[in-house]
Amino acid sequence: MERGMTADQLLASLWRRKALVGAITAAVFAVGAAIVMTRPSMYEASAVVRVEPQRPGEEMVQRTVSELIEQRLLTVRQELMARPVLQKAIEEMNLYPDIVSEKGMETAVAQMRKDLQVRVEGETAFEITYTNRDPQVAAQVANRLPTIFSEETLKLRQAQAARATDLFTEEMGSMGKAVSNWERKISQFKVDHLGELPEQMEMNMRGLERVSHELQTKSEELRVAEARRSDLARARNAVDSEAGRLESAESGLTRALVNARTTWTEDHPEIKRMQSELDGMTTRRKEAEGRLWAERAERGRVVGLIEAIQKDIVDLQGKAEAYQARLNNTPKWAHELGVMNRDYEIARTKYQSVVSRKVEAEIAQELEAKSSKSLFNVISPAGVPVTAARPDRMTGLVIALLVALGLGILTGAVLEMRDDSLRDGSEVRQRLTLPVLAVVPDMQGKTERRVLMPSQGGRNNVSSPTSLN
């Protein structure tokens, strides 16, 4: 049966079983020491990387990559632990060949994540620590990972800058087509409504004024021509009367001369007088007929002039109506043209803005490419470690020793608690209800001892035990 015991009893029991306790302690310590000593040595190499700010670039041109390079420190561990970086390092440096061949790249990447540690140092730096059995490989990987991370980061930033440039290029193309369409529409609108445009309003007003002035002039000319035709009409009657009277007189005189010639000879004075009078009458008649033909020609000219003036007046009235119609339509076309010009200006402004942003995006892309080498600087490269970081063999041996001692002590205590042997009078009195009269001493050993152990003063009146040497 199990029973409790004091510290003294525990020490005494361990001493009695010191051989067993020692054997267990030695065996457990040997196993622990073997485990500690046979574990492979793991070497750690660390490199510190500083992230350089990009403020000068932002002052020169608006960057298309909005994320500051310093902000990547917030996610640097996740990015360094990402598969693209680790897989590139594994493939480039031929890490974990057994794992890659047996279990695949994903398992190798997971193992490298366990062997890699990333710690942010301050606001602009981070530390990479890599663990490997080979110190040379540990140093090489620790120095190579910042470069791979820098290349992947810069590749990503350059891709973002290139996408921004392509976006602005595509947008510029579409906006350029829109501007060209508006220009064609406006040009066609001006062609369709030529003469009725707002910028031609002043010209139309001046044209209307000029036509109105010409109408007044032509009206005055028409009035004068009409008056001249009236005068010629009145004069025609008088001329016709004179020519008719002279013609009648000439006819009568001719008949009288004919009758006179039947009576007198040509040398007769009366015949000569009548002949002379007839010649004068004929001359006056011809003059009167000439004036009649001149008046008729003048009347024809005046009639033609009046018709030409009337035609000019009709043409001028048509021009005046055309100018007036243009002036009447100008406000309507001005509104439509204003709307089109407003939309065109909006499209042109957008196009100019996109062109400006595209130029800035191209400059920003060039700056990203030129500043790529100075964004990440290794300020503390990893050296080849001399001592192993794991395991700590001394600490492991101490822990193995403590565990071995603990197991030995625990084994001795358990055996003692399950031992029912009675070893002295106190145990007899505690575990038995009978009175103890005496204790027989153990006489074994080189020095013979005799011990009398009567029970303490009680009802049997036996004195205290006495030792005899």
Side-chain angles (χ1 to χ4, degrees):
M1 57 179 268
E2 297 180 358
R3 56 188 176 85
M5 55 183 168
T6 63
D8 294 338
Q9 292 174 344
L10 177 61
L11 291 176
S13 65
L14 293 177
W15 179 253
R16 284 193 300 270
R17 296 178 175 82
K18 54 183 176 291
L20 178 60
V21 172
I24 294 175
T25 302
V28 174
F29 178 72
V31 173
I35 294 174
V36 171
M37 298 305 294
T38 55
R39 287 188 61 190
S41 298
M42 303 299 291
Y43 295 88
E44 291 183 353
S46 300
V48 180
V49 182
R50 173 181 169 82
V51 179
E52 298 295 338
Q54 295 178 285
R55 298 295 186 272
E58 292 181 354
E59 295 174 358
M60 289 185 288
V61 67
Q62 181 69 31
R63 291 186 175 272
T64 54
V65 182
S66 59
E67 182 186 18
L68 295 177
I69 194 66
E70 302 94 304
Q71 293 178 350
R72 301 191 72 86
L73 287 176
L74 302 176
T75 59
V76 64
R77 185 178 184 279
Q78 289 75 8
E79 294 180 4
L80 271 171
M81 295 292 185
R83 176 165 181 165
V85 177
L86 300 184
Q87 182 174 347
K88 185 175 181 180
I90 292 172
E91 294 175 350
E92 181 179 317
M93 307 183 72
N94 194 24
L95 303 175
Y96 312 104
D98 297 336
I99 298 178
V100 172
S101 61
E102 295 177 3
K103 300 181 180 180
M105 181 59 68
E106 190 65 33
T107 306
V109 170
Q111 181 60 41
M112 190 169 184
R113 288 194 182 104
K114 297 178 181 179
D115 297 336
L116 183 65
Q117 293 182 359
V118 180
R119 293 186 297 273
V120 177
E121 301 291 342
E123 297 180 354
T124 59
F126 61 91
E127 181 183 18
I128 298 176
T129 301
Y130 181 69
T131 304
N132 195 274
R133 295 182 181 181
D134 189 344
Q136 295 287 343
V137 173
Q140 291 175 3
V141 173
N143 288 323
R144 179 57 182 158
L145 278 177
T147 304
I148 296 177
F149 171 69
S150 175
E151 293 173 354
E152 294 295 325
T153 301
L154 297 176
K155 188 185 299 182
L156 177 62
R157 292 178 65 86
Q158 291 176 3
Q160 292 177 351
R163 284 197 299 270
T165 303
D166 295 339
L167 177 62
F168 285 125
T169 302
E170 181 180 356
E171 188 67 18
M172 187 181 69
S174 62
M175 293 301 299
K177 291 180 181 179
V179 171
S180 299
N181 290 335
W182 278 116
E183 289 176 348
R184 284 195 296 271
K185 289 181 181 178
I186 293 175
S187 299
Q188 187 62 40
F189 182 86
K190 290 183 177 180
V191 171
D192 296 339
H193 303 285
L194 185 63
E196 301 177 352
L197 301 175
E199 57 267 23
Q200 296 174 329
M201 184 175 182
E202 184 177 356
M203 181 190 68
N204 291 331
M205 293 180 67
R206 290 181 179 178
L208 183 59
E209 291 178 357
R210 177 177 55 79
V211 170
S212 298
H213 180 70
E214 291 181 358
L215 275 173
Q216 292 177 358
T217 302
K218 292 295 180 180
S219 298
E220 183 64 25
E221 291 179 357
L222 180 62
R223 187 186 64 78
V224 173
E226 291 286 350
R228 177 62 177 167
R229 185 175 63 176
S230 298
D231 294 341
L232 290 175
R234 287 192 301 269
R236 179 185 62 185
N237 297 327
V239 172
D240 289 342
S241 298
E242 182 183 3
R245 182 178 56 80
L246 290 174
E247 185 177 2
S248 298
E250 182 183 8
S251 297
L253 188 59
T254 299
R255 288 191 302 269
L257 179 61
V258 170
N259 292 329
R261 282 178 177 173
T262 60
T263 305
W264 295 299
T265 62
E266 292 294 330
D267 295 333
H268 192 275
E270 187 65 22
I271 294 297
K272 291 182 178 180
R273 183 190 63 77
M274 292 179 65
Q275 184 64 44
S276 176
E277 186 177 354
L278 179 60
D279 292 338
M281 186 66 67
T282 301
T283 300
R284 289 195 300 274
R285 180 186 61 78
K286 289 181 178 180
E287 291 177 354
E289 288 179 353
R291 288 193 301 272
L292 179 61
W293 286 107
E295 288 178 357
R296 287 179 178 176
E298 180 67 17
R299 285 198 302 271
R301 186 189 66 81
V302 171
V303 170
L305 178 61
I306 290 174
E307 291 177 355
I309 292 175
Q310 288 177 344
K311 183 179 180 182
D312 291 341
I313 289 175
V314 171
D315 293 339
L316 290 174
Q317 288 177 347
K319 290 182 179 180
E321 291 176 357
Y323 279 121
Q324 189 62 48
R326 292 177 182 178
L327 292 174
N328 293 335
N329 291 331
T330 297
K332 180 175 66 174
W333 306 138
H335 175 71
E336 295 186 11
L337 185 60
V339 173
M340 296 175 68
N341 284 328
R342 181 192 62 195
D343 295 338
Y344 167 70
E345 288 297 328
I346 293 174
R348 192 166 67 90
T349 302
K350 290 181 179 179
Y351 176 73
Q352 292 175 348
S353 176
V354 170
V355 171
S356 177
R357 293 298 302 275
K358 176 180 178 294
V359 173
E360 290 188 358
E362 291 175 349
I363 297 175
Q365 185 176 358
E366 294 178 359
L367 287 178
E368 286 290 341
K370 292 179 179 179
S371 63
S372 60
K373 297 181 180 179
S374 61
L375 294 180
F376 297 93
N377 292 326
V378 179
I379 58 178
S380 178
V384 179
V386 178
T387 59
R390 299 197 305 267
D392 187 352
R393 302 189 189 280
M394 184 59 66
T395 303
L397 291 175
V398 172
I399 294 174
L401 178 61
L402 294 177
V403 171
L405 287 175
L407 289 176
I409 294 172
L410 179 61
T411 302
V414 170
L415 292 176
E416 178 65 22
M417 294 175 66
R418 298 179 66 86
D419 190 1
D420 294 335
S421 301
L422 298 176
R423 296 182 179 86
D424 54 22
S426 60
E427 291 185 3
V428 173
R429 286 193 298 270
Q430 292 176 1
R431 299 172 62 185
L432 300 177
T433 58
L434 300 176
V436 178
L437 300 179
V439 176
V440 178
D442 184 5
M443 304 301 292
Q444 298 178 0
K446 295 180 180 181
T447 304
E448 183 178 354
R449 297 182 301 169
R450 290 179 296 172
V451 181
L452 297 178
M453 297 181 63
S455 60
Q456 294 178 356
R459 57 185 177 177
N460 294 322
N461 295 324
V462 180
S463 62
S464 298
T466 303
S467 296
L468 299 177
N469 294 328

